[in-house]
Amino acid sequence: MLARIIAGAVLGIEAYMVEVEVDISYGMTAFRIVGLPDGAVREARLRIPSALDNAGYEMPQKKITINLAPADIRKDGTAFDLPMAVGILAAYGAIPTARKGFALEDYLFVGELNLNGEVRSIRGALPLAVMARDNGLRGIVLPEENAPEAAVVSDIEVIPVRHLSDVTAHVRGHTPIDPIAAEPMAAREYRLGYSVNFNEVAGQESVKRALEVAAAGGHNVLLIGPPGSGKSMLAKRIPTILPEMTFEESLETTKVYSITGQLGSKEGLIRRRPFRSPHHTISDVGIVGGGSGVPRPGEVSLAHNGVLFLDELPEFRRNVLEVMRQPLEDGCVTISRSLMTLTYPANIMLIAAMNPCPCGYFGSDQKRCSCAHDRVRDYRTRISGPLLDRIDIHVEVPAVPYRKLKGERRGESSRQVQQRVQAARNVQRSRFAGTDVHANAQMRPSELREHCQIDDDGHDLMEMVVDRLGMSARAYDRILKVARTIADLDGSDTIEASHIAEAVQYRSLDRDLDRVAA
């Protein structure tokens, strides 16, 4: 007898439907799985018989052939255990293929089986639920641990199960399982609280202003300052001033965490912008993704719609920094293998921090630098020019004097800054409506020409600055984008000379390199 169960697999951050065709026929006892299964899928031949036995069923002593269609795409992971077990039970008549109000073909089945029949959690439950809804299925049967993330998808039944016997009892109608009600983020409003606040940082008002500009336009930032000046402290508070995530942003980010298995068991959608801070010993595969088998997302994708913080930037290996150039430019990572090409989202705000020199005190008024000019130059040039051009804002973070550290007066709270950032982002959202651009930092040359109108004084200042500093065309574009954001914060339609002047101040490393070379 032949049975057909619908399952699914994840490729990149999107899921696709897999038909599990189970045929049981007379002949020499055998259990074969075809359709390009990987090692974990083939090992189901050992898990399923024990799981069936512990659920009160016998494994048929016949020739069992399971085909995973489409057969030309490699299947990996353990999510096929449950649909294959259900298919075997349906094929030899242990459970019905349909009853009143329920049919196997209307549901997507995913889950890993323990030897005792328990259903274990899987990766990618959210994209699988989205795929089931988009293909017109009635619902999804999946492990209880994955139910919260699948429940954010509306117009689909989410049926959580703990044991294979729960599945069979539900299919037979003996103990029906009530679906979990969908609770999408779009239906509610959330007020997110953070354990850190911008007003906890003493002094550094000019740096806070630069970070406000960066948050308002989605610009990448490089913080340069001596040890203990507060670079890491400032970076960790940037998510508190970013706009709250939209439903679409939350859905995309949650998909990435879902397929990597890093989503909490009780977490539905990720509502806080991610903050990732990898150590400088990370590999290029760890930063952009890859690995053996099906390529997995790296840190730039895990920071999608959030912040990627690289502390001690020059200490990262050169190849690690260079592979980030394409994601910073395109907002995505494309990983090519012989059998597949996957694209993961990587729309990030890069925050990098570095000392001005190896000892950390070049140009400091408080402590003398012990580094020779050659060492300082070599230290700075560990960061390539093309990568540096992709960072819009370079800002110096000086050491905080004692009088500001001991002072009781604190600056604005994160909420106050966030309100101005949100207002500027709303202006940009209206400006770029109907396009795939969402913030000033993402503007292409055509948008720059259309939306970055400079007054006469601004043109004169820009010409002087570009000729004097010898900036590249990409650096010129970065200054325009930052100036556009500053004008948005000021509520100005035109970019004025004052906006250009402030944007130029945020290219401090360009000026410092000339000073080091001298």
Side-chain angles (χ1 to χ4, degrees):
M1 183 177 177
L2 179 68
R4 174 178 171 271
I5 304 297
I6 300 176
V10 177
L11 197 60
I13 64 168
E14 303 299 332
Y16 64 95
M17 188 178 294
V18 175
E19 293 185 5
V20 179
E21 300 173 325
V22 181
D23 179 71
I24 299 179
S25 58
Y26 290 102
M28 185 177 295
T29 301
F31 190 169
R32 299 171 182 170
I33 303 174
V34 298
L36 287 183
D38 74 345
V41 179
R42 289 194 297 269
E43 287 173 354
R45 295 178 302 175
L46 305 176
R47 292 190 294 270
I48 290 176
S50 294
L52 290 177
D53 182 63
N54 285 289
Y57 297 91
E58 292 185 2
M59 187 74 174
Q61 300 302 307
K62 296 182 180 180
K63 184 173 72 173
I64 302 174
T65 303
I66 297 180
N67 178 45
L68 306 177
D72 59 341
I73 301 178
R74 188 171 183 82
K75 318 301 186 307
D76 74 316
T78 55
F80 296 102
D81 288 7
L82 181 61
M84 286 193 288
V86 172
I88 291 172
L89 292 174
Y92 78 85
I95 59 173
T97 57
R99 60 172 170 81
K100 185 177 180 181
F102 183 90
L104 289 178
E105 62 182 13
D106 293 335
Y107 288 81
L108 180 78
F109 290 81
V110 287
E112 175 186 342
L113 291 176
N114 279 353
L115 296 182
N116 63 2
E118 292 180 353
V119 183
R120 291 173 55 89
S121 63
I122 59 165
R123 296 178 178 181
L126 177 58
L128 287 166
V130 173
M131 181 271 292
R133 181 197 62 187
D134 294 344
N135 281 274
L137 296 180
R138 181 175 172 181
I140 177 172
V141 180
L142 79 172
E144 187 178 50
E145 292 181 38
N146 297 117
E149 59 179 292
V152 303
V153 181
S154 57
D155 302 324
I156 188 173
E157 293 181 7
V158 177
I159 300 177
V161 293
R162 297 181 180 179
H163 196 275
L164 180 58
S165 59
D166 296 340
V167 182
T168 59
H170 178 77
V171 171
R172 300 175 70 175
H174 293 173
T175 312
I177 302 172
D178 294 329
I180 294 179
E183 200 170 21
M185 178 181 170
R188 300 189 295 171
E189 292 186 0
Y190 295 89
R191 180 64 60 201
L192 301 179
Y194 290 90
S195 59
V196 295
N197 198 298
F198 232 47
N199 60 15
E200 296 169 346
V201 182
Q204 306 292 16
E205 300 305 325
S206 61
V207 183
K208 291 179 182 177
R209 166 64 179 179
L211 295 181
E212 178 182 339
V213 172
H219 303 287
N220 301 323
V221 181
L222 176 59
L223 302 173
I224 312 159
S229 58
K231 302 185 294 295
S232 298
M233 188 177 186
L234 285 161
K236 291 176 181 177
R237 282 154 179 77
I238 291 176
T240 68
I241 65 172
L242 290 172
E244 292 184 5
M245 298 179 76
T246 64
F247 176 71
E248 290 74 18
E249 288 175 332
S250 290
L251 194 62
E252 281 188 349
T253 303
T254 307
K255 281 183 177 180
V256 176
Y257 278 77
S258 177
I259 64 174
T260 59
Q262 297 189 38
L263 200 63
S265 59
K266 295 182 179 180
E267 191 171 10
L269 281 177
I270 292 177
R271 303 180 182 96
R272 290 187 180 182
R273 294 191 180 273
F275 181 87
R276 305 290 298 187
S277 181
H279 192 260
H280 60 76
T281 56
I282 192 172
S283 66
D284 52 353
V285 171
I287 201 77
V288 298
S292 60
V294 177
R296 296 295 181 186
E299 289 292 331
V300 291
S301 295
L302 291 170
H304 180 55
N305 289 320
V307 174
L308 177 65
F309 178 46
L310 302 183
D311 200 5
E312 304 295 345
L313 185 65
E315 302 301 328
F316 283 81
R317 287 193 286 268
R318 184 68 174 250
N319 63 307
V320 172
L321 296 180
E322 293 307 303
V323 296
M324 290 185 57
R325 287 161 53 180
Q326 182 253 338
L328 290 176
E329 194 73 19
D330 300 337
C332 62
V333 175
T334 301
I335 304 172
S336 297
R337 295 289 184 268
S338 58
L339 296 177
M340 67 183 70
T341 297
L342 298 180
T343 298
Y344 291 113
N347 182 21
I348 65 171
M349 182 176 173
L350 174 66
I351 307 296
M354 62 178 286
N355 295 330
C357 66
C359 79
Y361 296 101
F362 178 80
S364 174
D365 296 331
Q366 297 182 341
K367 190 172 181 178
R368 181 169 179 162
C369 174
S370 61
C371 304
H373 279 294
D374 288 345
R375 287 193 66 201
V376 177
R377 184 177 62 251
D378 292 343
Y379 182 76
R380 296 286 184 91
T381 54
R382 292 181 189 177
I383 309 169
S384 68
L387 176 63
L388 198 60
D389 279 345
R390 287 168 170 81
I391 300 178
D392 301 350
I393 295 176
H394 317 152
V395 59
E396 294 181 358
V397 185
V400 182
Y402 174 72
R403 60 182 176 82
K404 289 190 176 181
L405 287 175
K406 73 180 181 65
E408 295 183 0
R409 184 179 179 275
R410 290 290 184 262
E412 293 179 300
S413 68
S414 294
R415 184 60 181 165
Q416 290 173 299
V417 179
Q418 187 199 44
Q419 289 174 345
R420 294 195 296 269
V421 169
Q422 185 67 66
R425 285 289 184 103
N426 290 340
V427 171
Q428 295 164 47
R429 189 175 294 112
S430 299
R431 175 184 298 141
F432 303 123
T435 71
D436 58 350
V437 177
H438 306 291
N440 289 334
Q442 301 171 348
M443 283 192 291
R444 297 175 288 258
S446 58
E447 284 90 13
L448 282 173
R449 289 191 298 270
E450 181 179 356
H451 302 297
C452 295
Q453 304 300 321
I454 309 174
D455 64 10
D456 293 338
D457 292 340
H459 276 296
D460 295 339
L461 177 60
M462 182 68 86
E463 181 179 6
M464 180 183 68
V465 167
V466 171
D467 291 343
R468 180 178 178 182
L469 296 181
M471 291 183 175
S472 66
R474 184 177 281 115
Y476 166 76
D477 289 347
R478 301 293 174 186
I479 292 175
L480 272 184
K481 293 176 182 179
V482 174
R484 177 68 270 171
T485 300
I486 297 170
D488 290 341
L489 286 168
D490 283 352
S492 174
D493 293 332
T494 304
I495 299 175
E496 302 173 359
S498 60
H499 304 143
I500 296 289
E502 183 178 352
V504 171
Q505 293 301 310
Y506 298 145
R507 301 293 299 185
S508 65
L509 199 58
D510 295 334
R511 302 191 302 275
D512 282 351
L513 286 175
D514 294 336
R515 180 156 57 108
V516 170

